[in-house]
Structure formats: structure tokens, C-alpha cells
Amino acid sequence: MKEKFTNHLINETSAYLLQHAHNPVNWYAWGEEALKKAKQEDKPILVSIGYSACHWCHVMERESFEDEETAALMNNNFINIKIDREERPDLDHIYMDAVQTITGSGGWPLNVFLTPDLKPFYGGTYFPPVAAFNRSSWKQVISAVANAYQTKKNEIEEQAENLTQHLLNINDFGKAGKQNENYLNDVALENIANNFLKTGDTEWGGFGNAPKFPQTFSILYLLRHFYFTGNKAALNQSTLSLDKMMMGGMYDHIGGGFARYSTDRRWQIPHFEKMLYDNALLINAYTEAYQLTQKKEYAEIVNETIEFIRREMTSPEGGFYSALDADSEGKEGKYYTWSKKEIDELLGEDSEIFCSVYNVNEAGNWEHTNIIWLPENLKTIAEKLNLDTNALSILLKKSRQTLFEARQKRIRPLLDTKVLLSWNALLIRSLCKAYAAFDNEEYLNMAERNVLFIEKNLHVKNAAYQHSWNKTINNQQAFLDDYSALIQAYIFISQVTANSDYLIKAKELCENVINNFSDEEYAFFYFTAATQTDVLIRKKEMYDGAVPSGNALMAENLIMLSSYFNIDEWKVRAENMFNNISGVIEKYPVSFGYWCLTLQGFIKGYKEIVITGEEYFKVLKEILQVYIPLKIIQSSNTEDSFWPLLQGKTFSYQTYIYLCESYKCLNPAKNVEEFKKKVNQNIFNKKSNTTK
């Protein structure tokens, strides 16, 4: 008699898990029921990890997980667990490390086999339904693993034990680089910049060869390096990268927003999924680039990207959704690509110019269809076509709007409506910086509304939060990334609103992280809280990937909050973190991009800006538009002894703008122009004209 199996995913909220809810596989979500069953039946666990916008996850589902014969093999031999990597990044980090150790590479879908006590012993990424590309078929793999577990169990357990010990060893980050104070200087910053530049593509921008990722941390580091040193090569590589990305097909010229990455060197062919975090980080980079260069095209990109998020990735309640899929109607990029015939019919007499500008042709510029992109900048194209640049820009804007309205009628890619605390917090910071640069109230409204959403829907009690929400709160406590990004969001929103209540919340969250996530021996922080017990090991996530590592963010938070609250031990802790890692990040900056930014801030120091007087808020808005990449701002019209930065300052009707470093202040400026002169003179290099 055939055993009956049940798919347990139907009541999950994750879009990724729900995509698999009707597979004939006996899927469980990660939890006590599945883990207990594995021990009771002494069966190996098959963990399959992915995310809703993952193209190859969809492919493997169609080829293998929807196949009844394959599902029967899985059901008979394993406890099968599906995990959304965005809901459980802690598990993804652990088992990705395991698979990379086993195979030398990683990716998604991530398929890993565990003993009943959660120790990995074998795994890989995508497996085809039949043997191909020097890969065994999925059925061959699961049959071989099942047989090995039954006939060579002792060897399997020994292999799992050895692999787990290896994971513990590589998690002991910090010992090798301990006490490297010699790296905390300008020489290290120059070496980091040079190492970034060595990998830069000086023709098409970006770093390295295809596939190309945005690498916004590298770009920001070089922008700031130019600001501090005047190094033109750093400026040129960062702006070239930003220019080529916004011209390429990775940018959605019709609807705004960026895709995940480019599969080619020229940024033409994107992997079409759109992730919230990429767009948040790119808004940040283009905003800083605008403030430094005043290039209006960067302002347009920021506005269009924020408008895309407002229109397509914002919940009615004010949360920001996670992702838009690469696929629609079962085909990658179908929503975003065009035939020339379609464009001709929609644009009429304007089609010829539009197609010439955006590289559209009858044969297609990618897989018999067309990706909208700019091989050259608009000014160069206008000269070639003998057209006025401004007139051409107006024609193209009108044409893009026509295509946008037509595209709205297509079948849309799947929207992942999961709201993740860390990604939302990253966007809050970027919205605050965009508001500061452009004085657009809508940006600040989106940020403040999102803060209210987080506090209403993800706050549990005191300074404790949950990780995600999807129509309801997800029962998973927040991770280090969530807290570190939220702390930073509170710091930045306090700067632009002059509301110090946000700083109090940031301090409370920082104390929570120190109490519950600390690895005191090396000054770093674990990814999971001490109260979370369902993981094999507590990882310290140090590398900066697509998003900043929580440790790098915490180092920055400790520096900034130490200035606001005059807590010297927090700055000392950040310094200890740098002592343990700075030598590594200098040698391998691409893997530690946000750490590089944080180290740059620590070495160069933060400008402390205090604004007093009746018109403090008006003056604050003007100062926010000035490009000062490393700053602490506090503004008030009344003295408050609680805040160290406000102590000893003059409060009257007159505006006073204090520029300070480490609580040593210049004589105050009385208007923004005078303040800007002080900033530009870098007057702290001089010993005179200072007051305590």
C-alpha cells in the first residue's frame, strides 16, 4: 500500500514556501515538528533553501519537485524541509558555508543533507532532472545519499562531525587579525582605495568582469576617498560605475528601479529580479554622488527609483515589500522586454528615434527580444543624430511614459509581500539621505510612515523586535542585521527631523544588541540572539555581501552613538573590532566593502554639528544639503543638559552653527555660508581659533 504524504506548507505566509505548497513532496517548514520527526524516525533531513525571486529555484521546482516519481524518492527517504532564505538567513548562512566547503561554490537553490541532529554532510545547488553539464541528476543524488545513510551511517556521521567542526573553526573570526592597531591610519585607507581601483573596469564601470553586481559600498568608498584626498581616479571610477549602471539594462528605464545584477560586462543584460535592498543601497549611492557632483541625472535616478518603490513595493500599511520576481508567465524578463514591432505600433513616428537611442532592433538585442538600454550617454547620441539634447530628452520621456502605460497591462511578475525589518531599515536611511539632499517631503513621509509600521507590526516589547511580517507577524525574533540597520535608521531620521526621541530608541536597541548578541572575547556580535536555540552554531557574519554585515553596521553605530551620548567605551569597542579585522579588509576590500566605509569613518572622524536658535530647523534643512559624508547632527532651540553635544552652547533667537570634532568646537558660524567656509577650509588641521 502506498504511504500517504502531506505537504505542510499551505498555511505558511512566505511567498517562496507557498510556491511549493502544492508539490507532491512532503515539505515541512523549519520547526519543531519536522526536527522531532527526523530524530524519531532516524531519517536524514533534506533542507532546500531559496527565495521567491530566484529563477533557478523555479526551474528546479518545475523539473524535480513537481515530479511525482522524484517526490516519492524524497518522501520515502528524507524529512524534507523548505526554507525561505529571507525569513531564515541564519540557517542559510550556516548551510551555505557547509555547501561551499563541500563543493567550492554556492548559490540558490541550496540543497543540503543533514543528520537528525542538524549536522550537514552533503549538499549542492541546482541539480538537473537528468544528468547533464557534469552534474548528477537530482534523482541520482537523493538515491545515492539515501543509500549511503542506510549502509555507511558511521561514515556519514563522522563526515558530518568533521564538517561541523570546520564550520566552528571558520566562525572563530578575529583571532588571526587581533591587535592590528598599525592598520588604523591613512595609509590603510589609501591601500584600500588602490585595491578597489585595481579591480575597476575603466571602460564600462563597476569592478571585475561579468557577472557584475552594483557594489555600492566600493563606489561610496571611492566617492568619499575623493572628498578626503582629491584623488581623481577614485572619483572617475565611482561616477563611471554609476553612469554605466543607470544607462544599462540593469536599470528599468521604463518603470524605474534596478534589477539584481548584470550578467554581462556592459550592464546590458540584467538578471531581472528587483530586490528592495539593492534599490535602497543604490538610492544611497546616487544621492551621495549627486551631493558631491551636482549631476542632475543622479537626482532623476533617485527620484525614479523612489517612485518605483512607492508605486510597486509599498504596502497599504506603509511597509516595504521584499522583491519582484525575474519571471512572468514562466519566462525570465518577459515583463520588461519588447519587440520592435510593439514599440513601432505604440510610438508611431517617434519610434525610429527611440529605437536608435535604446538599441532596439528587429532581431532583438537579447534572445530575439529587446532590452531597453543606452549604449552611449544621451549627449553623445544626440550629437550623432544631430538633435538638441533637451528636445531629445523630452521626446524620450514622453515615449517611455507611453511604453510604461502599455506595460502596466501585461501580466506582472510575482510580488513577494514579505516585509523584512533590516531591508526596510536600510531604505529608511536612504530615504532620509535623499530627503536631506533634495528637500523632498515625500521622501521623509515615506520614511516616517515606515518607522510607524515597524513599531506597530514588528515591535514585541521593550527593545525586542521580530524579523519579518507578511499580513501578520512572523514568529522569528530579529537578527543582528535587523537591529543594526534599525539603529542606523533611527540615527538618520533623528538627524533630518531634529527629533532626539529617535536617538533614545537607537541607544536602547544598541544596549539590547550588546546584552544579547555579544561575543565579548573578540568584540564582535553573533548573528542570532543568545535566546535563539534552533541553530547548529551561532555564526558571526563578517563579510559584506549584497547587504552590509551586521557587525560592520554595529561598528558604525557604536561610533556615532558614542558621540551623541558621550559613551567612550562604545567607541573603544568599535576600535577593538577594527583591530581584529582591519588588516583583512585592507587586503580584500571587495569582500568587506561596508567595513571599509566604516573604517574610513573611524580614521577620518565624524564632524559634530550643533545648530541652535529659533530658526534651527530651517538652517538644518540648508545644512543637510551640504555634502559632509561623515557627520553627527543635533539641532535644538532650547538647552537640554541630557545631551552632551548641547552642553556649553549658546541658545538665543540668533542662529549658531557649531562645527566640532571630539567635543572640541570652532567659534560658531552665524549663517550657512560661513559654516560652509569652515567645512571647506578643513580648519581642524589648524591649532588656533578653537574653544572648548
Side-chain angles (χ1 to χ4, degrees):
M1 182 177 175
K2 188 176 180 181
E3 189 176 348
K4 185 177 179 181
F5 293 98
T6 306
N7 188 318
H8 300 263
L9 301 182
I10 196 65
N11 294 319
E12 296 297 317
T13 59
S14 158
Y16 177 66
L17 267 55
L18 289 172
Q19 286 168 359
H20 294 79
H22 299 287
N23 298 161
V25 178
N26 186 25
W27 290 121
Y28 289 86
W30 183 275
E32 185 178 350
E33 181 183 2
L35 303 183
K36 186 176 179 182
K37 187 176 177 67
K39 288 188 174 181
Q40 287 174 341
E41 298 182 9
D42 189 23
K43 275 187 174 181
I45 299 168
L46 165 60
V47 169
S48 185
I49 305 175
Y51 57 104
S52 67
C54 167
H55 172 72
W56 286 102
C57 299
H58 303 332
V59 173
M60 191 163 178
E61 182 200 6
R62 290 194 298 268
E63 293 175 343
S64 295
F65 302 148
E66 290 181 355
D67 179 69
E68 292 198 0
E69 184 181 341
T70 305
L73 278 172
M74 294 169 64
N75 295 336
N76 286 324
N77 294 289
F78 304 97
I79 303 300
N80 302 291
I81 297 179
K82 256 293 167 197
I83 294 175
D84 183 334
R85 68 176 290 256
E86 295 163 0
E87 283 192 341
R88 293 302 303 263
D90 54 336
L91 298 170
D92 180 57
H93 292 330
I94 294 167
Y95 295 123
M96 180 63 77
D97 280 355
V99 168
Q100 287 178 328
T101 300
I102 294 165
T103 68
S105 62
W108 298 275
L110 184 72
N111 295 293
V112 59
F113 298 90
L114 320 179
T115 62
D117 56 357
L118 311 185
K119 295 176 180 177
F121 61 88
Y122 185 69
T125 55
Y126 165 79
F127 291 95
V130 294
F133 318 114
N134 293 320
R135 287 176 180 259
S136 300
S137 73
W138 180 237
K139 283 191 282 191
Q140 287 174 327
V141 169
I142 55 180
S143 297
V145 171
N147 181 63
Y149 191 81
Q150 291 166 8
T151 61
K152 301 176 182 178
K153 189 175 177 185
N154 289 341
E155 293 177 31
I156 292 288
E157 290 178 343
E158 183 180 354
Q159 185 173 325
E161 191 63 42
N162 290 338
L163 183 54
T164 300
Q165 188 57 50
H166 172 76
L167 297 178
L168 288 166
N169 291 340
I170 63 175
N171 193 48
D172 210 5
F173 205 104
K175 280 186 176 177
K178 199 169 184 183
Q179 301 306 317
N180 281 328
E181 293 92 338
N182 291 335
Y183 287 104
L184 305 184
N185 54 43
D186 284 342
V187 174
L189 299 184
E190 190 68 32
N191 290 339
I192 288 169
N194 290 335
N195 285 334
F196 276 134
L197 290 171
K198 283 176 188 175
T199 66
D201 181 339
T202 56
E203 182 182 3
W204 288 97
F207 303 87
N209 216 320
K212 276 188 175 173
F213 291 82
Q215 292 200 34
T216 51
F217 313 143
S218 308
I219 291 168
L220 277 174
Y221 184 92
L222 292 175
L223 282 172
R224 295 178 184 180
H225 189 69
F226 167 76
Y227 174 83
F228 290 119
T229 69
N231 184 320
K232 285 287 183 68
L235 176 66
N236 292 342
Q237 188 60 37
S238 54
T239 54
L240 176 68
S241 301
L242 293 169
D243 291 346
K244 293 298 186 182
M245 280 194 291
M246 72 184 189
M247 289 162 61
M250 197 180 85
Y251 183 68
D252 181 358
H253 293 266
I254 304 303
F258 289 86
R260 177 74 192 89
Y261 63 89
S262 173
T263 64
D264 70 310
R265 183 186 166 208
R266 302 186 301 174
W267 306 100
Q268 178 197 348
I269 305 165
H271 192 32
F272 289 91
E273 67 207 51
K274 286 183 176 178
M275 312 300 293
L276 181 69
Y277 59 81
D278 284 315
N279 284 281
L281 295 170
L282 283 158
I283 289 167
N284 187 23
Y286 280 97
T287 297
E288 281 207 23
Y290 170 78
Q291 286 190 294
L292 182 63
T293 67
Q294 295 295 300
K295 189 172 180 176
K296 66 181 181 61
E297 289 86 353
Y298 295 160
E300 291 167 3
I301 290 295
V302 170
N303 185 60
E304 290 171 6
T305 303
I306 293 175
E307 173 57 22
F308 151 71
I309 292 171
R310 185 202 63 76
R311 184 183 67 241
E312 299 191 33
M313 298 191 75
T314 305
S315 77
E317 301 86 354
F320 300 123
Y321 296 137
S322 296
L324 273 167
D325 206 329
D327 298 11
S328 58
E329 301 179 71
K331 189 172 181 181
E332 184 181 9
K334 185 171 183 180
Y335 184 75
Y336 299 101
T337 55
W338 303 82
S339 70
K340 186 173 185 302
K341 182 181 177 184
E342 281 181 288
I343 293 175
D344 287 342
E345 290 173 352
L346 287 164
L347 299 185
E349 62 183 15
D350 292 336
S351 179
E352 184 178 354
I353 290 176
F354 183 91
C355 291
S356 178
V357 169
Y358 286 109
N359 190 229
V360 173
N361 57 66
E362 294 283 357
N365 59 34
W366 175 70
E367 295 190 1
H368 312 296
T369 187
N370 288 283
I371 295 167
I372 305 298
W373 77 297
L374 286 166
E376 299 176 291
N377 67 56
L378 210 56
K379 184 179 179 183
T380 302
I381 294 172
E383 289 172 356
K384 285 184 177 181
L385 295 175
N386 198 27
L387 293 170
D388 175 73
T389 304
N390 189 52
L392 177 60
S393 181
I394 292 169
L395 182 149
L396 294 175
K397 184 176 182 180
K398 175 188 167 190
S399 298
R400 290 196 303 269
Q401 181 61 29
T402 300
L403 296 186
F404 172 77
E405 291 168 3
R407 198 177 75 176
Q408 290 291 86
K409 300 171 185 175
R410 294 179 176 179
I411 296 173
R412 300 176 63 78
L414 174 74
L415 175 67
D416 188 335
T417 56
K418 179 168 64 265
V419 176
L420 297 171
L421 176 51
S422 59
W423 298 4
N424 276 241
L426 288 174
L427 184 56
I428 290 170
R429 180 188 66 174
S430 294
L431 288 168
C432 289
K433 290 180 76 168
Y435 163 73
F438 304 111
D439 193 23
N440 186 323
E441 293 288 337
E442 178 57 28
Y443 301 164
L444 181 59
N445 291 340
M446 287 173 68
E448 290 186 308
R449 191 163 174 250
N450 190 237
V451 169
L452 292 174
F453 172 90
I454 288 169
E455 292 177 346
K456 177 181 177 181
N457 294 289
L458 289 167
H459 182 230
V460 182
K461 60 179 179 180
N462 301 325
Y465 283 77
Q466 297 292 87
H467 171 63
S468 67
W469 178 94
N470 198 341
K471 309 304 180 193
T472 182
I473 196 168
N474 185 305
N475 189 29
Q476 171 56 51
Q477 58 186 292
F479 301 109
L480 177 65
D481 286 12
D482 296 308
Y483 285 113
S484 58
L486 184 58
I487 290 167
Q488 195 158 98
Y490 277 136
I491 292 172
F492 276 87
I493 202 166
S494 96
Q495 288 193 354
V496 299
T497 61
N499 183 346
S500 295
D501 289 346
Y502 290 125
L503 289 174
I504 300 293
K505 293 175 181 179
K507 180 173 181 281
E508 290 171 350
L509 287 172
C510 194
E511 290 167 343
N512 177 25
V513 170
I514 290 170
N515 292 334
N516 292 292
F517 290 81
S518 286
D519 166 17
E520 291 295 355
E521 186 177 358
Y522 303 121
F524 296 124
F525 299 92
Y526 289 110
F527 190 78
T528 51
T531 51
Q532 187 175 323
T533 58
D534 66 341
V535 287
L536 179 65
I537 59 174
R538 289 182 74 196
K539 274 210 70 182
K540 283 177 285 185
E541 198 62 33
M542 304 301 297
Y543 294 95
D544 296 313
V547 295
S549 83
N551 273 286
L553 281 172
M554 277 307 299
E556 189 170 39
N557 292 336
L558 289 166
I559 294 167
M560 297 182 79
L561 290 174
S562 72
S563 288
Y564 278 114
F565 293 96
N566 198 18
I567 305 175
D568 190 56
E569 59 262 37
W570 284 8
K571 188 173 184 179
V572 170
R573 178 161 184 170
E575 185 172 5
N576 288 337
M577 294 170 80
F578 292 127
N579 286 336
N580 287 319
I581 196 174
S582 55
V584 180
I585 67 179
E586 181 182 336
K587 291 177 184 175
Y588 310 107
V590 172
S591 298
F592 297 95
Y594 204 86
W595 275 109
C596 293
L597 281 170
T598 308
L599 179 64
Q600 189 181 45
F602 180 77
I603 292 172
K604 288 299 183 184
Y606 282 74
K607 296 284 188 288
E608 298 154 355
I609 302 168
V610 179
I611 307 167
T612 68
E614 291 300 317
E615 295 192 326
Y616 75 95
F617 193 72
K618 175 179 176 290
V619 173
L620 169 65
K621 291 177 74 170
E622 292 180 47
I623 285 177
L624 286 171
Q625 293 184 30
V626 180
Y627 184 57
I628 307 170
L630 302 171
K631 57 184 177 289
I632 305 291
I633 302 181
Q634 198 150 27
S635 314
S636 180
N637 61 357
T638 55
E639 189 169 7
D640 186 342
S641 60
F642 178 81
W643 296 103
L645 287 171
L646 298 183
Q647 293 174 18
K649 305 301 186 291
T650 300
F651 290 84
S652 68
Y653 177 81
Q654 170 70 51
T655 295
Y656 290 101
I657 311 167
Y658 294 85
L659 184 62
C660 317
E661 282 186 14
S662 300
Y663 287 84
K664 294 183 176 65
C665 303
L666 304 175
N667 291 327
K670 294 182 180 179
N671 57 63
V672 175
E673 287 306 312
E674 185 183 346
F675 168 79
K676 286 198 281 191
K677 286 179 184 177
K678 290 179 182 289
V679 172
N680 292 335
Q681 289 168 357
N682 196 19
I683 204 163
F684 277 98
N685 291 330
K686 301 178 182 179
K687 301 294 184 184
S688 59
N689 194 32
T690 60
T691 68
K692 290 278 185 171

